[in-house]
Amino acid sequence: MQTTELPVHEIPALSGNNAPVHQEDLFEDLPVIGEMPRDFAGLYVRNGPNAFFAPTWRYHAYDGDGMLHAVRFDHGRVSYRNRWVRTEALSEEQAAGRTLWKGLKEPMRKGRPDQPMKNTSNTDVKYHAGRLITMWYRSGMPYALDPMTLETLGPADYDGALDRISAHSRPDEHTGELLWFDYALQAPYMRYGVIGPDRRARHAIEVPLPGPNLPHDMAVTEHYTILHDFPLRLDLEAMAAGRYKVRFHPDEPSRFAVVPRYGQASDIRWFTARPSYMLHVVNAWEEGDEVVMVGTPYRMHAGEDGRIDARRLERTINQRQRDFLLYEWRFDLRTGTTRERVIDDVLNTEFPVINGAYQGRPNRWSYHIVFPPGGREEPRFPGLVKYDLRTGGYIAFSAGPQYFYNEPGFAPRDEPRSEDDGYLVTLAWNPADMRSEIQVFDCLGARLAEGPVARVPLPRRVPNGFHATYVSQKTLDRWK
Ligand SMILES: [Fe+2]
């Protein structure tokens, strides 16, 4: 087995398995350790930063150009391929033969006040209407790519309807729609809209907010969309002085906009809840008069005065530390009130995924990456957990200190008999062997705890990255 020499670099965001790879490869019919299940087919794709040119600025881990790593499963056969997302910014730099933008820590690009930050499209990837769509967490033009070849087809502007969307806009695999939102420093601070399965814009509204905020994700049910307004905001004074700083306002509530999928701004019902901040939603659904949302917000800690320690939360967020719990909100459409509860505060988990067929529907199981408690030391992503959202119970697998897991995808069996009848597929980095591999876990019942049923060592490492998606062959074919 060939492994790759790791480049030595003084910047942690570019060292070890954070260093970019420079090859675009296709590896077919990869040898499997264990037994690769033959009863599923589909595509697992992961996005992440992978700088094309060596950075010449104070590099931040979020700065690299987007690169997709795709694993195709076909009834026991496995192949891998990777390609850069050919954004307009990257194409411009390739034509110039050098970097033209800087990054989060030194944002302004001279001569381009319209685009001071580079839209790397490096954050999330989803499947919509026959194409992969890559998205950027700061809101930017999404890009469309061919799911077979990973070739960039161009900006996904849907006939000029979109100029920017947030990284966690969500396709609905039941209807083929793409539900999107964006956020910006200038008004309109937030917009929400729907693109049809025919790639035509169907709906768009402005979501009225008192000022700019920092939403990261949205939630969808069968009939409603839930948009987030947490009391975490950019420090605008620091911003004016050229520094990027977030401020948490512990005396203000969290606010959630519940809006019918095709509702107008006047149809929005605002619900308030305890002050919080959350990156990722697990799922949402309707139950009687209630809209239920489950997610993994940051854990709040009390200061010496017994109130929320806002500075501690800001530090946790700024330093990208991992300190999360599993939480549920229930919005009562009849009374306008919110009920909320901790589902689990024992484990520290994030990057939640579910069986995609259950998005927007009541579901029981979610799968997360589990971190060491506190999460204050060097980043470690050593395990996976299957949660029972009803009871807070869980089944977990940890590979010990040697593995670093990526956001997984849930791959249903060809003819699934239950929500958890399928596999968890993911990429894992083993620093001891300096090797990346694909791993497949059986999700049914308690089998996750038994470890991977199949491992596929890769001929070259896959750098650590951000978000991933799994698209079953059925869904690929249905919305082609
Ligand atoms: Fe995210």
Side-chain angles (χ1 to χ4, degrees):
M1 176 60 61
Q2 174 203 345
T3 56
T4 315
E5 197 77 3
L6 285 178
V8 179
H9 206 292
E10 65 210 66
I11 304 170
L14 286 168
S15 322
N17 201 35
N18 292 319
V21 293
H22 297 287
Q23 309 91 322
E24 294 184 315
D25 289 308
L26 169 64
F27 305 124
E28 294 183 286
D29 282 321
L30 287 158
V32 174
I33 300 170
E35 195 67 42
M36 181 60 72
R38 295 174 183 278
D39 54 358
F40 80 105
L43 185 69
Y44 168 82
V45 198
R46 205 217 67 199
N47 202 347
N50 196 92
F52 187 89
F53 289 105
T56 53
W57 60 91
R58 288 191 302 140
Y59 187 81
H60 186 278
Y62 293 173
D63 288 347
D65 302 290
M67 178 180 269
L68 293 190
H69 302 265
V71 180
R72 185 167 283 277
F73 298 93
D74 184 12
H75 300 112
R77 292 173 62 191
V78 193
S79 65
Y80 161 93
R81 91 188 303 159
N82 71 309
R83 270 192 167 180
W84 266 287
V85 184
R86 293 273 173 342
T87 58
E88 289 189 336
L90 177 58
S91 302
E92 211 183 311
E93 289 185 330
Q94 286 173 325
R98 64 189 172 87
T99 56
L100 298 171
W101 277 267
K102 292 176 177 175
L104 254 191
K105 292 180 178 171
E106 304 173 42
M108 289 308 273
R109 176 183 167 189
K110 279 182 189 152
R112 283 296 295 269
D114 60 316
Q115 206 190 332
M117 296 274 296
K118 182 182 183 182
N119 172 10
T120 56
S121 214
N122 70 7
T123 313
D124 200 1
V125 55
K126 295 284 187 210
Y127 177 76
H128 174 246
R131 309 183 301 184
L132 294 173
I133 305 292
T134 57
M135 297 169 284
W136 187 43
Y137 76 105
R138 301 274 300 215
S139 291
M141 176 68 78
Y143 281 84
L145 295 92
D146 183 311
M148 294 298 292
T149 64
L150 300 188
E151 183 195 345
T152 302
L153 304 169
D157 71 344
Y158 299 96
D159 299 326
L162 291 189
D163 53 7
R164 57 166 202 256
I165 63 174
S166 177
H168 295 306
S169 297
R170 286 177 177 259
D172 182 333
E173 88 176 47
H174 302 278
T175 64
E177 294 162 306
L178 173 69
L179 288 80
W180 63 269
F181 78 99
D182 72 358
Y183 66 101
L185 283 175
Q186 293 82 29
Y189 299 116
M190 185 189 271
R191 296 179 299 178
Y192 155 69
V194 185
I195 306 287
D198 54 1
R199 300 185 194 156
R200 283 257 189 315
R202 288 193 173 172
H203 185 61
I205 61 169
E206 291 180 10
V207 179
L209 290 176
N213 71 354
L214 292 166
H216 189 73
D217 201 351
M218 72 194 294
V220 301
T221 70
E222 195 175 346
H223 301 101
Y224 296 95
T225 297
I226 305 159
L227 299 158
H228 301 169
D229 183 21
F230 292 108
L232 182 87
R233 286 183 260 286
L234 275 178
D235 182 331
L236 295 177
E237 272 175 35
M239 185 93 184
R243 286 175 297 130
Y244 184 91
K245 217 165 132 185
V246 295
R247 279 269 170 227
F248 188 70
H249 303 269
D251 299 324
E252 297 175 29
S254 300
R255 300 198 318 144
F256 301 97
V258 179
V259 60
R261 186 168 292 195
Y262 285 92
Q264 299 299 323
S266 56
D267 297 320
I268 295 173
R269 301 276 306 271
W270 285 99
F271 291 83
T272 57
R274 287 185 202 122
S276 179
Y277 187 68
M278 175 169 73
L279 295 172
H280 302 122
V281 166
V282 173
N283 197 18
W285 61 85
E286 296 153 31
E287 234 181 83
D289 290 324
E290 288 182 323
V291 170
V292 184
M293 180 173 73
V294 177
T296 50
Y298 284 92
R299 195 182 290 254
M300 296 288 154
H301 295 273
E304 279 174 16
D305 59 1
R307 300 168 65 223
I308 291 173
D309 186 342
R311 301 295 90 80
R312 178 167 173 179
L313 177 68
E314 290 161 6
R315 262 197 319 276
T316 301
I317 293 169
N318 281 327
Q319 296 171 12
R320 300 195 303 126
Q321 293 164 359
R322 297 145 306 284
D323 192 11
F324 305 100
L325 35 84
L326 184 62
Y327 205 80
E328 179 189 82
W329 292 265
R330 287 176 171 266
F331 309 115
D332 190 321
L333 295 171
R334 201 170 43 82
T335 62
T337 55
T338 309
R339 287 193 292 148
E340 48 192 313
R341 71 173 177 119
V342 172
I343 300 177
D344 175 52
D345 65 354
V346 173
L347 295 190
N348 179 19
T349 78
E350 239 280 6
F351 293 100
V353 304
I354 60 166
N355 181 337
Y358 288 76
Q359 179 178 274
R361 309 293 194 274
N363 80 308
R364 184 161 182 188
W365 310 109
S366 69
Y367 309 88
H368 309 209
I369 293 180
V370 57
F371 315 110
R376 286 175 158 262
E377 72 292 330
E378 278 298 289
R380 281 183 49 220
F381 290 48
L384 297 164
V385 60
K386 174 187 181 182
Y387 262 120
D388 184 334
L389 300 178
R390 289 186 200 159
T391 66
Y394 50 82
I395 290 146
F397 173 79
S398 171
Q402 67 268 40
Y403 279 99
F404 192 107
Y405 282 100
N406 284 225
E407 178 168 286
F410 182 88
R413 283 191 174 82
D414 287 338
E415 302 298 335
R417 275 179 266 174
S418 60
E419 184 194 329
D420 61 349
D421 195 7
Y423 304 96
L424 211 56
V425 301
T426 189
L427 286 160
W429 163 245
N430 180 343
D433 294 346
M434 294 210 297
R435 185 178 294 163
S436 295
E437 59 185 56
I438 300 156
Q439 292 192 1
V440 178
F441 295 77
D442 194 339
C443 291
L444 197 64
R447 292 180 192 170
L448 182 79
E450 292 165 24
V453 293
R455 296 170 44 214
V456 183
L458 288 165
R460 156 173 73 53
R461 68 186 178 84
V462 176
N464 300 333
F466 299 141
H467 291 288
T469 198
Y470 181 84
V471 198
S472 69
Q473 193 61 45
K474 255 184 216 162
T475 302
L476 284 169
D477 294 341
R478 182 170 173 209
W479 298 112
K480 221 180 245 175

